Amino acid sequence: MKNVARDRSLFPVYWGNALFVLAVSGLALLGGVVFVAHWILPRSIPTLLIVLICLSDLIAARLNDIAAQAFQAMEQLGYTANFSLLPNLLRMISATIVFAVWHRASAVVWGWFYLGSTVFSCAVCVAITNWKLGVPKLHLSRIPAEMWEGVYFVAGLSAQTVYNDIDKTMLASLSTLDAAGIYAAAYRVIDVAFTPVRSVLYAAYSNFFRSGQHGIATSYAFAKRLLPRMVGYGALAFAGLYLTGPLFPLIIGKDFARTVEALRWLALLPLIKTVHCFLADSLTGAGYQGLRAAAQISIALFNVGLNFWLIPAYSWRGAAWASLASDGALAMAMYLLLRIIIRRPELTTGLESDEAYATTD
């Protein structure tokens, strides 16, 4: 995404390198999963089933993702959307076939159809990418230089998973399953409300990299052009969720009546997430992913600590407080990092790669 967004002529090289790295890492992870599964999973689960799922989710599905991101880097988002939809559509068709033919199919049969649908989707997406954008070329000497920045992305994405999702798991263990269900249902509605903002973020991602090659001020200026409308949407989403919350039990069932209060507690999250996501992408686009990841890791630890304190005392309300506090703190951290870097860039020298100040590769 980063390199191709800045120089489209580099696509064949990074397409080829991405396929190579995925093949190596995917096969290594497959071997690791099979080894670990042998020791921790019941013997009743066939090793073949584990291999089928790993081939699907660690290799074929990820090839599909890379092909979708290739078109995202080229700002041809129609292909990106279709590539993201295709595997789910094919899996649904496969499930329909299995149910219609076998009724009570074994897990291995499901696994074969699961893999087959993913491989077919992957083959179609890779073929279209080769046809539309160019065939892959290997340039392995470029890979080591990218690996350390890749670690930053791993750390940031892992931390994001923690502060977004760990509260549901902690609710189940520190409170009750009933509280976890109430909170998870409300949070799912919040995720749906955030989808329009997430879509704009995906559409703008390549532009963050393109503007960021000229420095943090340029990527931040690009974010500020988008933020007013997105913040406006976040405010409307807050009002809509808060006011229409009582209608949700009519849609998802009366058993979820207590979700209304949880939904109102969390209604401010789309607005807060909008702010910190756009500011964070400004940092990433200018090559400061390491600083972004450090902030995200800090917030993940902060979130876990708050949940340990608040959930036993206040159940799902404590989890809601922790989420609001964590996302709010992340928005403040991203803004402060941006202001510090813009005003005193020499303070970050040595903390990030030269990518932060580089022009096109």
Side-chain angles (χ1 to χ4, degrees):
M1 285 287 295
K2 176 189 70 177
N3 294 292
V4 175
R6 292 176 175 179
D7 185 351
R8 296 188 178 189
S9 68
L10 294 173
F11 171 78
V13 169
Y14 282 100
W15 173 228
N17 284 359
L19 298 180
F20 175 81
V21 171
L22 177 60
V24 172
S25 60
L27 290 173
L29 287 169
L30 186 152
V33 169
V34 171
F35 176 78
V36 172
H38 175 74
W39 295 102
I40 68 172
L41 293 182
R43 295 300 175 92
S44 58
I45 299 178
T47 300
L48 176 59
L49 177 62
I50 298 169
V51 171
L52 293 175
I53 293 174
C54 285
L55 286 172
S56 172
D57 286 4
L58 295 179
I59 299 178
R62 303 290 74 79
L63 281 170
N64 201 110
D65 290 344
I66 293 173
Q69 289 172 343
F71 282 97
Q72 186 180 358
M74 296 288 192
E75 296 184 89
Q76 299 183 37
L77 296 177
Y79 286 100
T80 301
N82 290 330
F83 285 5
S84 300
L85 176 64
L86 183 60
N88 297 309
L89 177 62
L90 292 176
R91 286 171 183 168
M92 184 181 69
I93 294 172
S94 295
T96 303
I97 293 172
V98 172
F99 183 77
V101 175
W102 280 274
H103 298 290
R104 289 178 174 266
S106 68
V108 173
V109 171
W110 280 103
W112 277 112
F113 273 84
Y114 183 76
L115 174 61
S117 60
T118 310
V119 168
F120 184 80
S121 169
C122 160
V124 170
C125 294
V126 169
I128 292 175
T129 304
N130 288 338
W131 174 42
K132 290 287 187 180
L133 302 182
V135 297
K137 296 179 182 178
L138 279 179
H139 199 312
L140 300 183
S141 63
R142 291 179 179 265
I143 293 176
E146 302 282 342
M147 294 300 289
W148 188 244
E149 191 173 12
V151 172
Y152 293 149
F153 279 91
V154 169
L157 289 170
S158 299
Q160 180 177 306
T161 300
V162 171
Y163 61 70
N164 279 340
D165 297 325
I166 196 68
D167 46 3
K168 291 84 169 174
T169 303
M170 295 181 72
L171 264 172
S173 61
L174 298 176
S175 185
T176 65
L177 293 177
D178 183 55
I182 291 170
Y183 184 80
Y187 211 100
R188 182 62 63 188
V189 177
I190 298 299
D191 282 340
V192 172
F194 190 66
T195 298
V197 180
R198 190 179 294 113
S199 301
V200 174
L201 286 166
Y202 286 160
Y205 201 44
S206 60
N207 276 310
F208 275 110
F209 284 120
R210 192 174 300 115
S211 59
Q213 69 182 315
H214 304 297
I216 187 70
T218 309
S219 63
Y220 182 38
F222 176 66
K224 288 194 292 185
R225 294 212 314 267
L226 299 175
L227 264 173
R229 280 175 287 183
M230 293 297 98
V231 167
Y233 167 79
L236 287 174
F238 165 73
L241 290 168
Y242 192 88
L243 295 174
T244 63
L247 300 177
F248 281 97
L250 302 178
I251 301 172
I252 60 179
K254 294 182 179 179
D255 292 339
F256 291 92
R258 286 183 294 168
T259 301
V260 174
E261 184 183 357
L263 183 60
R264 284 178 160 175
W265 275 77
L266 297 172
L268 197 59
L269 278 181
L271 176 58
I272 302 174
K273 286 179 178 288
T274 296
V275 174
H276 72 63
C277 283
F278 277 93
L279 299 182
D281 279 357
S282 299
L283 290 168
T284 298
Y288 290 98
Q289 177 62 26
L291 292 178
R292 173 182 180 171
Q296 290 177 300
I297 292 170
S298 299
I299 294 301
L301 295 173
F302 176 65
N303 180 263
V304 171
L306 281 180
N307 280 317
F308 270 122
W309 174 38
L310 295 173
I311 288 176
Y314 302 102
S315 188
W316 64 261
R317 293 178 182 85
W321 286 340
S323 288
L324 289 167
S326 298
D327 279 279
L330 185 58
M332 291 177 61
M334 293 301 172
Y335 178 75
L336 289 174
L337 280 173
L338 277 165
R339 300 308 306 173
I340 290 170
I341 296 169
I342 290 171
R343 293 181 180 180
R344 301 286 299 279
E346 69 276 5
L347 294 179
T348 61
T349 303
L351 295 179
E352 296 288 324
S353 67
D354 291 338
E355 180 65 38
Y357 309 104
T359 53
T360 304
D361 188 335

